[in-house]
């Protein structure tokens, strides 16, 4: 058996598992501060890493692997160097070795993900797709063990039968890897399915190398209870009507904020909050609303700020798309002014009716006879809005 010259001890260790969009440097350092012995980075694809250039970031005291578009794909630092494992997604032995050699001087170990069931991984022959090709598994791991100075590990899922699983892990052990992580679920199973701790135990009893139990930490009941609480809180938040909410809060930056989301089911497809806001601005002879939207890199969620008559409005809840974020910002503006926002069964002027009126026709609305000066929009009476506080877990 080939044993790498530089070793990382995996016996009786508490390890931070690799997590997509979570296992970045700040999270890894926090895990180390709170007692983790070893930390894994998120799965990074070999082709993406091979485009990167290693850069020493003197401002942050980090080592960055930077893509051609200047995006940092992987970042590490001296404080974690002896305890961080680089996990890659790969389906080719030579590419895997090239990536390992690129990062080996900055990490403590190299891991190959053979358990991810997501399409972005399996469609390239990576992740759980490797489980159906033991020959490729053996070639990738053997090439890494022989070609890199760091200890090599892999993560797998269990196969349909225990016999097949044990046969595979024995073959993997013979490649010379330092340890193996076992996710106690089959390829088609998801978090709602129970973890097979018995299968993980059987693997541990069969092999002589350390076996890392993945998804078997004993927090299932806590996870389910927390999920129920968050779902109930989110449902209550989305079910609130404008009449149930309190006054919005204006922060020191001058932006009026509310914790609201745009729920498509509550609005007519033909009349959205953005349409209502635009129509109101036209009627009041104001400049049309201007939306500024940003995306949060960590989870790729969006937040939008709309400016109307020099006043900015924003929802404190982040959304999964730019369009939804803009609709939420429009809702904040409309609710703060007590204006119709297009909700189903909401009483208010019809947009269709407005389109048939002449541009200068008096609509009967007293406000139409009172020109609104810029900056005065926010001085009109507010509609009551529930808690303006942001949900601490919303958008995670």
């Amino acid at each position: 058996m080939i044993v790498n010259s530089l070793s990382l001890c995996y016996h009786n260790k508490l390890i931070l598992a690799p997590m997509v969009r979570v296992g970045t440097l700040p999270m890894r350092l926090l895990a180390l501060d709170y007692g983790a012995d070893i930390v894994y980075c998120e799965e990074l694809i070999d082709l993406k890493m091979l485009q990167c250039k290693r850069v020493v970031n003197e401002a942050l005291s980090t080592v960055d692997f930077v893509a051609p578009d200047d995006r940092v794909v992987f970042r590490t630092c001296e404080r974690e160097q002896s305890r961080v494992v680089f996990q890659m997604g790969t389906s080719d032995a030579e590419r895997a070795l090239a990536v390992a050699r690129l990062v080996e001087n900055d990490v403590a170990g190299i891991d190959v993900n053979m358990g991810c069931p997501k399409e972005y991984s399996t469609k390239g022959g990576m992740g759980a797709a490797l489980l159906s090709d033991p020959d490729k598994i053996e070639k990738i791991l053997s090439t890494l063990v022989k070609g890199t100075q760091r200890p090599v590990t892999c993560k797998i899922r269990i196969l349909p039968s225990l016999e097949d699983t044990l046969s595979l892990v024995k073959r993997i052990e013979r490649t010379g890897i330092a340890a193996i992580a076992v996710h106690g679920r089959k390829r088609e199973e998801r978090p709602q399915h129970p973890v097979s701790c018995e299968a993980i135990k059987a693997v541990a009893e069969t092999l002589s190398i350390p076996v890392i139990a993945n998804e078997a930490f004993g927090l299932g009941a806590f996870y389910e209870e927390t999920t129920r609480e968050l779902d109930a809180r989110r449902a209550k938040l989305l079910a609130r009507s404008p009449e149930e909410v309190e006054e919005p809060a204006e922060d020191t930056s001058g932006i009026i904020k509310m914790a609201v989301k745009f729920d498509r089911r509550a609005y007519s497809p033909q009349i959205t909050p953005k349409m209502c806001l635009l129509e109101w601005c036209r009627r009041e002879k104001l400049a049309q609303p201007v939306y500024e939207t940003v995306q949060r890199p960590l989870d790729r969620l969006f937040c939008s700020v709309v400016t109307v008559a020099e006043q900015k409005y924003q929802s404190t809840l982040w959304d999964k798309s730019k369009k939804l974020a803009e609709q939420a910002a429009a809702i904040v503006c409309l609710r703060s002014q007590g204006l119709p926002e297009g909700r189903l069964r909401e009483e208010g002027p019809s947009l269709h009716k407005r389109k048939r009126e002449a541009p200068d026709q008096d609509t009967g609305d007293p406000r139409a006879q009172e020109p609104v000066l810029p900056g005065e929009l926010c001085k009109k009476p507010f509609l009551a809005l529930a808690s303006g506080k942001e949900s601490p877990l919303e958008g995670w």
Side-chain angles (χ1 to χ4, degrees):
M1 179 184 295
I2 299 173
V3 179
N4 293 59
S5 59
L6 299 176
S7 61
L8 181 65
C9 180
Y10 290 91
H11 286 280
N12 299 318
K13 300 299 183 182
L14 186 63
I15 302 173
L16 174 69
M19 292 176 283
V20 176
R21 293 191 297 274
V22 177
T24 54
L25 179 60
M27 177 64 178
R28 299 196 303 267
L29 295 179
L30 280 172
L32 291 173
D33 289 342
Y34 279 90
D37 299 301
I38 300 172
V39 292
Y40 278 59
C41 74
E42 59 185 327
E43 178 191 12
L44 297 172
I45 307 304
D46 55 4
L47 289 172
K48 184 179 298 184
M49 282 299 300
L50 290 176
Q51 298 175 8
C52 293
K53 180 181 179 181
R54 183 183 183 275
V55 178
V56 176
N57 188 328
E58 296 182 357
L60 298 178
S61 298
T62 61
V63 174
D64 299 346
F65 291 83
V66 184
D69 61 359
D70 293 329
R71 187 169 68 89
V72 177
V73 177
F74 175 60
R75 170 174 285 163
T76 185
C77 68
E78 185 178 358
R79 186 149 70 93
E80 69 166 4
Q81 185 176 10
S82 63
R83 293 189 284 176
V84 63
V85 175
F86 180 89
Q87 186 185 79
M88 75 174 82
T90 186
S91 61
D92 180 84
E94 296 306 318
R95 287 203 306 267
L97 180 58
V99 172
R101 287 176 173 170
L102 176 66
V103 303
E104 66 179 354
N105 291 328
D106 300 297
V107 300
I110 305 294
D111 183 80
V112 179
N113 188 329
M114 301 180 180
C116 180
K118 299 293 186 180
E119 184 182 0
Y120 75 85
S121 187
T122 58
K123 69 180 180 182
M126 301 177 292
L130 286 171
L131 297 177
S132 58
D133 195 343
D135 291 339
K136 183 175 287 188
I137 288 177
E138 182 176 351
K139 184 176 182 180
I140 291 173
L141 295 178
S142 297
T143 301
L144 286 171
V145 169
K146 295 174 183 177
T148 181
Q149 298 182 24
R150 298 302 179 195
V152 176
T153 60
C154 71
K155 171 188 170 182
I156 69 166
R157 283 182 171 239
I158 59 176
L159 299 180
S161 73
L162 181 59
E163 182 181 0
D164 290 340
T165 302
L166 296 181
S167 176
L168 176 62
V169 296
K170 289 177 184 177
R171 187 171 180 179
I172 288 176
E173 182 181 36
R174 288 194 294 269
T175 65
I177 65 171
I180 182 171
V182 181
H183 184 132
R185 294 188 179 94
K186 299 173 185 176
R187 174 176 174 174
E188 66 277 6
E189 292 180 328
R190 295 298 181 268
Q192 64 267 28
H193 296 100
V195 174
S196 177
C197 294
E198 292 301 317
I200 299 177
K201 181 180 178 182
V203 172
E205 292 173 345
T206 300
L207 303 183
S208 60
I209 60 175
V211 174
I212 304 167
N214 186 224
E215 288 287 345
F217 199 77
L219 294 178
F222 172 79
Y223 169 79
E224 292 174 1
E225 180 181 355
T226 303
T227 300
R228 285 194 297 269
E229 291 179 358
L230 292 177
D231 287 344
R233 190 186 307 174
R234 186 177 295 108
K236 184 178 180 180
L237 179 66
L238 295 176
R240 292 185 305 181
S241 66
E243 292 75 16
E244 297 174 316
V245 291
E246 299 174 359
E247 183 173 323
E250 181 173 354
D251 66 7
T252 55
S253 65
I255 302 177
I256 294 177
K257 298 181 179 181
M258 302 179 188
V260 299
K261 273 185 174 287
F262 173 68
D263 184 358
R264 299 177 188 274
R265 298 166 296 181
Y267 296 84
S268 167
Q270 292 78 27
I271 305 176
T272 64
K274 286 184 66 176
M275 294 170 63
C276 290
L277 182 57
L278 178 61
E279 183 69 12
W280 186 84
C281 288
R282 288 173 175 170
R283 189 167 62 246
E284 299 293 338
K285 295 182 173 58
L286 295 170
Q288 70 179 36
V290 176
Y291 295 87
E292 300 174 73
T293 306
V294 296
Q295 185 179 30
R296 190 162 57 189
L298 179 65
D299 50 18
R300 300 182 182 179
L301 295 178
F302 294 84
C303 183
S304 185
V305 176
V306 63
T307 303
V308 178
E310 300 182 2
Q311 175 62 55
K312 296 181 182 292
Y313 304 84
Q314 172 193 350
S315 172
T316 58
L317 306 182
W318 292 68
D319 263 303
K320 61 183 179 180
S321 76
K322 179 176 180 290
K323 292 181 179 179
L324 293 177
E326 291 179 350
Q327 295 287 4
I331 292 174
V332 174
C333 179
L334 291 166
R335 289 188 183 179
S336 68
Q337 307 307 316
L339 299 171
E341 60 188 70
R343 291 176 67 94
L344 296 173
R345 298 180 297 277
E346 179 182 60
E347 294 183 4
S350 168
L351 290 182
H352 299 290
K353 191 178 298 183
R354 172 69 181 86
K355 291 179 180 178
R356 291 194 293 268
E357 295 168 353
D360 297 324
Q361 181 177 340
D362 184 358
T363 62
D365 187 345
R367 292 174 300 181
Q369 301 173 14
E370 302 175 5
V372 179
L373 299 177
E376 292 188 347
L377 178 61
C378 61
K379 298 179 181 178
K380 297 187 177 181
F382 287 133
L383 186 72
L385 182 69
S387 171
K389 295 180 180 179
E390 181 174 357
S391 171
L393 293 176
E394 187 66 42
W396 281 79

